[in-house]
Structure formats: C-alpha cells, structure tokens
Amino acid sequence: MSEKAFQDYYPDLMSYCYGCGRLNEFGLQIKSYWDGEETVCEFQPRSYHIAVPGYVYGGLLASLIDCHGTGTAAAAAYRAANRPMDSEPPLRFLTASLHVDYVKPTPLGIPLEIRGKIQEVKGRKVVVVSRISALGEVTVRGEVIAVQVPEHMIGELVKNSRP
Amino acid sequence: MSEKAFQDYYPDLMSYCYGCGRLNEFGLQIKSYWDGEETVCEFQPRSYHIAVPGYVYGGLLASLIDCHGTGTAAAAAYRAANRPMDSEPPLRFLTASLHVDYVKPTPLGIPLEIRGKIQEVKGRKVVVVSRISALGEVTVRGEVIAVQVPEHMIGELVKNSRP
C-alpha cells in the first residue's frame, strides 16, 4: 500500500465530501490506497449505522462503494497519465451512476474491507467495480461510473465556496 | 396524503434503520406517504451532507432512494393484500439491489422531494422506481429491488436485539 491515501491528495476545495473529504468533520473520511492493481479501503461502520439490529445500513454501504469508486477513478486517471497524484492540474471525479447488489447481510461491529478494480478508463469516464467483505466474506458488490469533473464546474465551486 | 408515515407503522424491532427508523436518534428518520398511486417523501439534507460545496452528497441521495423504496415496497404489499399497515403480521422489506443515476448536481440547502412509483409486485419482490427533485427539477433517478424480510430472519433479529 502507498503511505498517503488518495483522498489526502484532493485539493482543499474538493475535500468537503461527506463520504471522503478530510475537511468534513461530520463525515465518514474514508481512506483508499493502491494494493497492486486493486485499491483497498478499510472502514468500520459506527454503532448507529444500522439496517436492522446487528447489520450494516445499506445506504452506508452504497456510500462506501461510491466514494471508494471515485477515489479509485482519480488514482487510475493519474496512473494512466503517468502522473503523481500531487501534480497539477488536479483530477477529480464525480459519480454519474451507482449500482449496488446486497449479496448478503453485512454484520455490524467489525471493520469492513472495500476493494476496487478499474474496469474501464475511456476519456473522462472511469468504471470501477468494488466489493465489500466482512471477515473475508463478500457481502456487497457494486459499480460506479465516474466522470472527471469539468474545469468550468471547478470554477463554479470556487465561486460557491466563498463565504 | 395519509396522516401517518409508512415508517411509523414499522414494528419497534425494525425501526432502528439509519435511513428511516424512528428509533435511530442519529439517523435521517425519513417519512414517506401515499399521494394517489405514487409515494412521496420530503427531506432537507443537513448542511454537512456535501458532495462538493453547494451540492448534496451522492451517498445521501442513494440512501433516500433506498429507504423511500423499501418503505414504498411495504406500503405496496399491504395495499396489494388489501390490508391496513397496522395489521399483523408486519410486512417489511430489505434492499436486494439499488441503482442510482445522478442526472445533474442536486443543490444543497433546500428541501428535496422524493417520489416513488411501484413498477412491479411479484411474490416477495417489489420493484420501486423513484426520482428526486429540487425546486421542481429532477436531479436523480433510482430503482430499488426490495424483497420481503423472511420470517426466520425476524426471529434472528429478535435474538440479536437482546442486550
């Protein structure tokens, strides 16, 4: 694994995401890393992330698939361009679509492993498939179609983020 | 609209869901109602439910599609059986799969409307398609395949929920 998480390279302005922004103090702050050709993230749901007692809330699992997917997409784009993740201009991705299959109930109270694979990099689009495991058993499979944030939107963000 | 939300009929044991459980004090506690043949839910994301500044986090939008979908599935099952929602035994649904298309960015800071339509009721499976609108404009479309919680799982829940 690399030492610094993908999300720690995001520019400040794009680090308020509830799922993965290091500057969102109320958020999940997930951290994703390369592990060979795959990407990996470990996350322990909080005690209140309940679906039914004893099992993890599906919307949280969808959020993990989502943010690990966009983080993986960004890392893949840098790797495809043979660029380090701290080089300019920043490459950031948003989710165009998200699909999640709940294969079996995910037990609450233990760390989960989210593993992503890059299925396709085509122009500004990256497709990432991920799986979530609990105690080595896959409980969720998901796919994210991520698209690179257009330059003009980054401009609008700067405008919106002014207090 | 009916006066009492679908979620307010859920048995206590199944009311700890982070998205829709009335007994989860840290959760979103969404409320869904009939509106003719459609179902509707209004929800205002919190200030920290950020994707990028000014816009709503996709994982939260997925959660709204998810819980409004399972709530709609339950309501549809009672309606199909011509039973009131407070009759026994309780009919509750879990999500087998979730699909979300982010049509355009969803502005943060205003109430959102989630509207669901029942696409299919087949045995223990209900398919619900939903759309999320901000200021009358659809920003998200989603689909939930919901399956009725099997009796044996309700038994396990009772066991798990004991302190």
Side-chain angles (χ1 to χ4, degrees):
Chain A
M1 284 196 212
S2 26
E3 287 190 344
K4 196 166 159 182
F6 303 159
Q7 291 85 2
D8 292 333
Y9 289 105
Y10 295 174
D12 284 1
L13 187 64
M14 311 203 77
S15 294
Y16 291 95
C17 175
Y18 182 77
C20 59
R22 70 180 185 283
L23 301 177
N24 190 325
E25 61 176 318
F26 301 104
L28 308 174
Q29 301 199 1
I30 73 159
K31 304 289 181 194
S32 306
Y33 304 88
W34 282 115
D35 183 23
E37 290 303 303
E38 291 196 338
T39 59
V40 65
C41 165
E42 191 176 281
F43 185 83
Q44 175 146 351
R46 296 168 192 162
S47 58
Y48 49 80
H49 284 140
I50 302 165
V52 289
Y55 298 101
V56 180
Y57 175 51
L60 177 81
L61 297 165
S63 299
L64 297 176
I65 295 284
D66 185 2
C67 281
H68 183 64
T70 51
T72 296
Y78 281 104
R79 193 176 258 198
N82 203 20
R83 283 178 44 190
M85 287 194 76
D86 53 3
S87 63
E88 293 288 334
L91 303 175
R92 279 288 290 120
F93 285 74
L94 292 177
T95 306
S97 85
L98 170 68
H99 186 87
V100 185
D101 289 315
Y102 300 95
V103 181
K104 54 179 71 177
T106 301
L108 186 62
I110 53 170
L112 305 178
E113 185 184 75
I114 306 99
R115 284 197 163 261
K117 273 187 190 174
I118 296 119
Q119 193 168 68
E120 191 185 330
V121 182
K122 196 176 178 182
R124 301 178 73 88
K125 191 180 92 170
V126 179
V127 181
V128 179
V129 291
S130 295
R131 58 192 190 278
I132 300 180
S133 305
L135 300 172
E137 198 168 23
V138 174
T139 60
V140 177
R141 294 184 185 279
E143 182 189 275
V144 162
I145 299 178
V147 289
Q148 198 184 326
V149 181
E151 303 294 315
H152 74 84
M153 194 169 171
I154 296 185
E156 281 170 33
L157 287 177
V158 175
K159 208 171 61 188
N160 284 337
S161 69
R162 284 186 191 127
Chain B
M1 283 195 213
S2 26
E3 289 190 343
K4 195 168 159 181
F6 302 160
Q7 292 84 4
D8 292 335
Y9 289 105
Y10 294 174
D12 284 1
L13 187 63
M14 309 203 79
S15 293
Y16 291 95
C17 176
Y18 182 77
C20 58
R22 68 181 187 283
L23 302 177
N24 190 324
E25 61 176 317
F26 301 103
L28 307 174
Q29 301 200 0
I30 73 159
K31 302 288 182 194
S32 306
Y33 304 88
W34 282 114
D35 184 23
E37 291 303 304
E38 291 195 339
T39 59
V40 66
C41 164
E42 192 177 277
F43 185 83
Q44 174 147 351
R46 296 167 193 163
S47 59
Y48 51 79
H49 284 138
I50 301 166
V52 288
Y55 298 101
V56 181
Y57 177 50
L60 177 81
L61 297 165
S63 299
L64 297 175
I65 296 283
D66 185 4
C67 283
H68 183 63
T70 50
T72 296
Y78 282 103
R79 195 177 256 197
N82 204 21
R83 280 178 47 190
M85 286 195 74
D86 54 0
S87 63
E88 293 287 334
L91 303 174
R92 279 288 290 123
F93 286 74
L94 292 177
T95 306
S97 85
L98 169 68
H99 186 87
V100 185
D101 289 314
Y102 300 94
V103 181
K104 55 178 72 178
T106 301
L108 186 62
I110 54 171
L112 304 178
E113 186 185 74
I114 305 99
R115 283 198 163 260
K117 274 187 189 173
I118 297 118
Q119 194 169 67
E120 192 185 330
V121 181
K122 195 175 178 183
R124 301 177 74 87
K125 190 181 92 170
V126 179
V127 181
V128 179
V129 290
S130 295
R131 59 193 189 280
I132 300 179
S133 305
L135 299 172
E137 197 167 23
V138 175
T139 61
V140 176
R141 294 185 184 280
E143 183 187 275
V144 162
I145 299 177
V147 290
Q148 199 184 324
V149 181
E151 304 294 315
H152 73 83
M153 193 171 172
I154 297 184
E156 282 171 32
L157 287 177
V158 174
K159 206 171 60 186
N160 284 339
S161 69
R162 282 184 194 130

